[in-house]
Amino acid sequence: EGIEDIEQLGESSCESSTTNNLMAQASSQVDAGRLMEARALYELAFRAAKIDSDRIQCVEGLSNISAKLNTSGRSVEAEAVSTRVVALYDDTSFLNTPTSHLARSLTQLGRCAQANKSLKVCQRAFQRAVSMYCRAYGHDHVFVATSLGHLANVLYKKGDFEDADRKSTRLN
């Protein structure tokens, strides 16, 4: 019985070490500006991770890559990475994932989609972000207001002036 416990501990430690090594390599790729290489390493680390905290760290790494891609003008790639991040949060049942992580990822997706003029994707992302932020922080929070402002802007660009006005009125 004691030997089996030690073997399981060794396997767990090895898996954790592999995940940590992959995440460290991904981080160094980000630092070197090789974002797509870093994305692949974070994806591998996510698959290798056995505990939620490591998996969340991998998803957050992907989210950071999306933000860097978007700010460097690579919005199409950024939207693809953001879509993956949201899908990972949606498809994975993390036990203790704060709702704010998903809301932040949805906001990032909305920004990327807006840069690509994908207004339907953008609108859905901001609507979900508003809902998630409300759930996490209540209705009177700066993140809710910011997301409502983003949503109102998209609605205005789509020509839905009445709904845009209703959303922006909630900000006052």
Side-chain angles (χ1 to χ4, degrees):
E1 197 173 322
I3 294 174
E4 289 175 2
D5 290 341
I6 292 171
E7 286 175 354
Q8 283 181 334
L9 180 62
E11 286 176 19
S12 173
S13 173
C14 182
E15 290 166 352
S16 180
S17 176
T18 300
T19 302
N20 290 334
N21 287 338
L22 286 167
M23 285 192 289
Q25 288 176 22
S27 180
S28 69
Q29 293 297 314
V30 169
D31 292 343
R34 293 187 291 271
L35 300 177
M36 299 317 284
E37 292 85 348
R39 177 188 181 181
L41 288 165
Y42 276 124
E43 291 276 359
L44 285 171
F46 181 85
R47 286 187 212 107
K50 299 298 180 199
I51 58 174
D52 281 353
S53 60
D54 285 346
R55 297 175 94 195
I56 291 169
Q57 205 172 350
C58 293
V59 175
E60 288 299 301
L62 288 169
S63 183
N64 292 336
I65 289 170
S66 172
K68 286 180 181 288
L69 287 166
N70 201 37
T71 58
S72 66
R74 296 165 64 184
S75 59
V76 172
E77 293 167 292
E79 185 177 346
V81 175
S82 284
T83 299
R84 176 71 173 142
V85 167
V86 170
L88 287 170
Y89 276 130
D90 281 343
D91 296 343
T92 307
S93 57
F94 296 120
L95 297 176
N96 297 312
T97 302
T99 305
S100 60
H101 281 50
L102 176 56
R104 189 173 57 247
S105 298
L106 287 162
T107 300
Q108 180 65 33
L109 174 58
R111 287 184 185 135
C112 296
Q114 192 168 21
N116 294 327
K117 311 241 185 297
S118 306
L119 296 181
K120 284 184 181 180
V121 172
C122 184
Q123 181 179 350
R124 282 193 308 269
F126 286 139
Q127 285 171 329
R128 281 189 68 197
V130 168
S131 175
M132 293 286 155
Y133 280 133
C134 283
R135 210 174 311 157
Y137 301 113
H139 293 278
D140 294 328
H141 193 276
V142 67
F143 292 160
V144 175
T146 301
S147 293
L148 279 170
H150 290 312
L151 180 57
N153 186 31
V154 171
L155 292 169
Y156 184 82
K157 285 180 180 180
K158 288 179 72 178
D160 190 349
F161 304 115
E162 287 181 30
D163 203 12
D165 188 49
R166 278 194 299 277
K167 301 295 185 215
S168 62
T169 303
R170 279 183 62 187
L171 297 173
N172 299 327

